[in-house]
């Protein structure tokens, strides 16, 4: 703490990102990155952008990228907002749409960045407990609120909420913004973007970090009614005119142009997930059904922190959250079939006979 800080800064509890170990040769299954490389078309587009161009500022509106996203998802350009990773998009969402008299609602077990943004923007919030099976129960959200946000599928549980349930929430909650954080939707869910034209209070956020293997490029976007998008743009233009650099814009446009690679890799991840779930269950793990590129699992006879430490000895890094209700769970990113085998081999050594 320093006497020079703004008072708010000492009250913040910043988000703690998953570890990015310096050691190579690790089986890194802790931050839900895609195990496959980005599309070659993306790399080519980025390389083509490297040159004298970099002397010039990028397009502050990322128009070509917004056009690509709008065409891909069948919406208008003024229904799309893009940002430096969906984390930045979410930061704008919290500031632009969630600061009201009534509290923001989100699940008790969810993306741990949400309470961090509430701290930064001094937003009042209430957490809504997930059911015992970690599912989101829409009826629990039908009360006065200044906004609602949850990931679908939820993180870190991986559980999917049916689109019909989201529509039921929207029908019952007309007076505040509902944000569905679809960072993992491409791994087995149905996007709520199909509902944005019917519900002007729905905003859907996406990330290119997971299903498009571009965590290092930092691109995310939101789709919703033009009024919601305008609120985000007003905040963005009061903060940073150029959140997406030239390489990010060019690479992201190319990502939406390589549909076959996208389909191939996301299906490979989903197939590996189903195989891994089977093998983990055979080892005695209880695995929550997942529609994401990770699984959330506990072993009834083994402490999760001890398992995570044991796996680390064999070079396998998974994520353990020391938090209420989930301290006995491990969140394990789906790797390539080979990485998943390395995990299973390590588990066979760590779980005593
Ligand atoms: C990974 C993740 C994000 C952020 O993704 P970026 O685009 O990399 O910032 C947002 N929400 C959830 C639930 C995530 O897991």
């Amino acid at each position: 703490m320093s006497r020079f800080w703004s008072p708010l800064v000492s009250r913040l509890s910043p988000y703690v990102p998953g570890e990015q170990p310096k050691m190579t040769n690790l089986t890194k299954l802790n931050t839900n990155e895609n195990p496959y490389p980005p599309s070659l078309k993306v790399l080519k587009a980025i390389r083509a952008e490297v040159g004298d161009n970099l002397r010039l500022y990028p397009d502050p509106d990322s128009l070509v990228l917004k056009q690509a996203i709008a065409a891909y998802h069948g919406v208008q350009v003024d229904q799309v907002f893009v940002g430096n990773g969906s984390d930045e998009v979410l930061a704008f969402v919290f500031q632009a749409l969630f600061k009201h008299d009534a509290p923001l609602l989100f699940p008790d077990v969810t993306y741990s960045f949400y309470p961090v943004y509430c701290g930064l923007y001094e937003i009042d919030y209430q957490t809504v407990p997930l059911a015992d099976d970690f599912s989101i129960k829409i009826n629990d959200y039908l009360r006065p609120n200044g906004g609602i946000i949850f990931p679908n599928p939820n993180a870190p549980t991986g559980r999917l909420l049916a689109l019909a349930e989201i529509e039921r929430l929207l029908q019952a909650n007309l007076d505040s913004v509902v944000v569905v954080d679809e960072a993992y939707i491409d791994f087995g869910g149905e996007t709520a973007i199909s509902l944005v034209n019917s519900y002007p209070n729905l905003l859907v956020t996406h990330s290119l970090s997971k299903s498009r293997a571009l965590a290092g490029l930092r691109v995310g976007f939101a789709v919703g009614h033009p009024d919601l998008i305008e609120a985000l743009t007003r905040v963005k233009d009061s903060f940073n005119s150029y959140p997406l650099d030239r390489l990010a814009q060019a690479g992201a446009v190319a990502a939406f142009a390589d549909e076959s690679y996208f389909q191939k890799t996301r299906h490979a991840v989903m197939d590996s997930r189903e195989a891994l779930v089977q093998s983990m269950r055979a080892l005695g793990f209880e695995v929550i059904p997942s529609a994401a590129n990770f699984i959330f699992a506990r072993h009834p006879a083994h402490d999760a922190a001890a398992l995570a430490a044991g796996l680390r000895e064999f070079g396998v890094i998974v994520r353990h959250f020391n938090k209420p209700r989930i301290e006995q769970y491990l969140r394990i990113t789906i790797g390539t079939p080979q990485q998943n085998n390395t995990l299973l081999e390590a588990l066979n050594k760590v779980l005593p006979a």
Side-chain angles (χ1 to χ4, degrees):
M1 227 227 269
S2 158
R3 65 192 173 94
F4 300 117
W5 290 5
S6 302
L8 172 68
V9 174
S10 9
R11 296 198 300 271
L12 297 177
S13 6
Y15 178 74
V16 183
E19 186 192 358
Q20 293 291 349
K22 298 285 175 290
M23 260 169 73
T24 50
N25 255 332
L26 292 176
T27 303
K28 190 176 175 305
L29 304 177
N30 67 330
T31 51
N32 299 344
E33 286 140 334
N34 199 305
Y36 300 105
S39 152
L40 285 175
K41 291 186 178 164
V42 169
L43 302 183
K44 201 173 156 216
I46 292 173
R47 284 194 192 103
E49 194 65 23
V50 174
D52 180 61
N53 262 350
L54 292 181
R55 192 172 52 79
L56 304 171
Y57 281 107
D59 174 9
D61 298 321
S62 299
L63 184 61
V64 176
L65 175 55
K66 281 197 230 172
Q67 285 167 335
I69 293 168
Y72 190 85
H73 284 290
V75 295
Q76 303 297 313
V77 173
D78 64 358
Q79 292 176 288
V80 180
F81 178 83
V82 298
N84 189 258
S86 65
D87 282 340
E88 187 191 71
V89 175
L90 290 170
F92 292 148
V93 166
F94 275 68
Q95 199 174 16
L97 302 170
F98 282 162
K99 191 165 175 164
H100 299 289
D101 293 337
L104 174 69
L105 303 180
F106 51 80
D108 62 338
V109 176
T110 196
Y111 189 34
S112 46
F113 227 134
Y114 301 160
V116 174
Y117 294 131
C118 288
L120 178 60
Y121 298 117
E122 304 186 288
I123 294 165
D124 185 24
Y125 70 91
Q126 283 173 7
T127 57
V128 181
L130 296 178
D132 288 341
D133 66 355
F134 287 157
S135 60
I136 290 175
K137 296 282 183 248
I138 288 309
N139 289 353
D140 298 342
Y141 291 79
L142 306 184
R143 49 164 141 141
N145 67 77
I148 297 172
I149 184 169
F150 53 83
N152 195 40
N154 196 10
T157 66
R159 245 194 205 284
L160 185 73
L161 182 65
L163 195 55
E165 285 296 282
I166 293 175
E167 183 151 28
R168 197 161 71 77
L169 172 66
L170 290 161
Q171 282 163 352
N173 187 88
L174 299 167
D175 296 324
S176 71
V177 172
V178 175
V179 175
V180 184
D181 175 350
E182 293 190 339
Y184 301 103
I185 198 70
D186 296 326
F187 298 108
E190 207 184 336
T191 177
I193 290 178
S194 57
L195 301 176
V196 295
N197 287 329
S198 312
Y199 299 94
N201 61 329
L202 169 63
L203 189 80
V204 181
T205 62
H206 276 212
S207 171
L208 275 68
S209 299
K210 280 83 181 223
S211 59
R212 304 221 178 234
L214 291 171
L217 201 63
R218 312 305 305 130
V219 184
F221 63 93
V223 179
H225 191 281
D227 288 350
L228 301 183
I229 300 304
E230 188 187 339
L232 301 177
T233 307
R234 287 171 70 98
V235 170
K236 172 234 166 209
D237 287 334
S238 306
F239 172 78
N240 178 4
S241 306
Y242 309 102
L244 265 73
D245 61 53
R246 286 179 170 275
L247 309 188
Q249 292 186 37
V253 168
F256 287 99
D258 198 349
E259 182 66 9
S260 65
Y261 186 76
F262 171 64
Q263 294 299 346
K264 192 172 84 180
T265 48
R266 81 185 180 99
H267 282 288
V269 170
M270 289 190 279
D271 292 348
S272 305
R273 178 184 66 214
E274 296 319 305
L276 183 62
V277 168
Q278 298 281 323
S279 310
M280 297 277 295
R281 288 192 175 139
L283 288 174
F285 280 90
E286 293 165 12
V287 187
I288 309 275
S290 169
N293 69 337
F294 58 84
I295 55 172
F296 204 51
R298 69 186 285 269
H299 197 292
H302 294 274
D303 177 67
L307 281 180
L311 286 172
R312 180 174 283 267
E313 305 265 300
F314 292 97
V316 178
I317 313 293
V318 301
R319 190 108 195 241
H320 172 250
F321 299 92
N322 200 2
K323 290 195 179 156
R325 293 189 77 182
I326 58 170
E327 66 281 307
Q328 283 310 324
Y329 283 82
L330 295 176
R331 193 197 67 187
I332 305 174
T333 304
I334 308 302
T336 59
Q338 195 186 347
Q339 289 176 311
N340 297 342
N341 278 338
T342 305
L343 164 73
L344 291 167
E345 280 165 22
L347 279 172
N348 273 311
K349 292 175 201 150
V350 171
L351 298 170

